Amino acid sequence: VILIAERNPHIRNLVQRELMAEDYHVFTVDNVFQLKNWIYLRRAPDILVLDPELPGSEEHNIWGLLASYPELPVIIHCLCADQWKDLNGLKLSALVEKNGNSINFLKHQIMRIDSEYCRGN
């Protein structure tokens, strides 16, 4: 199960469509409140693709939420990768900068994580 937490509906839908074509079970949220509800009321996803500028992060501590799930593979999918390299010790599985080719790199990182973390356990 891959959860895409993305503020931009065009990117969110593109990533979901591309990953579903690869036979992944993909779900989306568009704000931190929905992300928290997804994780608390359902279960943590196998992989989280996270836009760190998700709406609602001003009111909710998204990094505290992620710290509660230290084994959750997180791919930060952002506009400026340099500012997200150090996240106070949170484990990151990948950092993908949004650009014209990022969907291919994102899919590659998901396949790598899927084989290392999810299917390897």
Side-chain angles (χ1 to χ4, degrees):
V1 172
I2 299 173
L3 181 60
I4 302 165
E6 170 62 53
R7 64 187 161 128
N8 184 316
H10 300 291
I11 295 173
R12 190 172 56 242
N13 293 334
L14 171 66
V15 172
Q16 182 180 33
R17 188 174 53 249
E18 289 287 325
L19 295 177
M20 288 177 76
E22 301 284 334
D23 291 328
Y24 289 107
H25 297 281
V26 183
F27 300 91
T28 64
V29 296
D30 59 26
N31 61 56
V32 175
F33 182 73
Q34 290 176 354
L35 175 62
K36 283 185 167 190
N37 280 341
W38 174 273
I39 290 175
Y40 290 147
L41 299 177
R42 295 179 185 204
R43 68 175 185 90
D46 297 314
I47 300 172
L48 173 63
V49 177
L50 175 67
D51 175 352
E53 296 180 6
L54 202 60
S57 56
E58 312 81 39
E59 300 97 36
H60 303 283
N61 183 356
I62 193 168
W63 310 117
L65 171 67
L66 296 179
S68 299
Y69 297 90
E71 297 305 313
L72 173 63
V74 178
I75 298 173
I76 299 292
H77 192 218
C78 57
L79 290 174
C80 182
D82 288 339
Q83 87 182 70
W84 302 107
K85 287 184 178 177
D86 181 27
L87 294 173
N88 298 324
L90 288 177
K91 176 183 168 189
L92 290 181
S93 298
L95 187 60
V96 176
E97 191 163 331
K98 292 178 186 175
N99 61 40
N101 295 320
S102 67
I103 191 68
N104 291 326
F105 189 61
L106 184 61
K107 289 188 332 186
H108 172 75
Q109 293 300 322
I110 288 170
M111 286 188 276
R112 179 188 60 80
I113 291 167
D114 188 35
S115 65
E116 288 178 15
Y117 292 95
C118 302
R119 294 186 184 171
N121 293 332

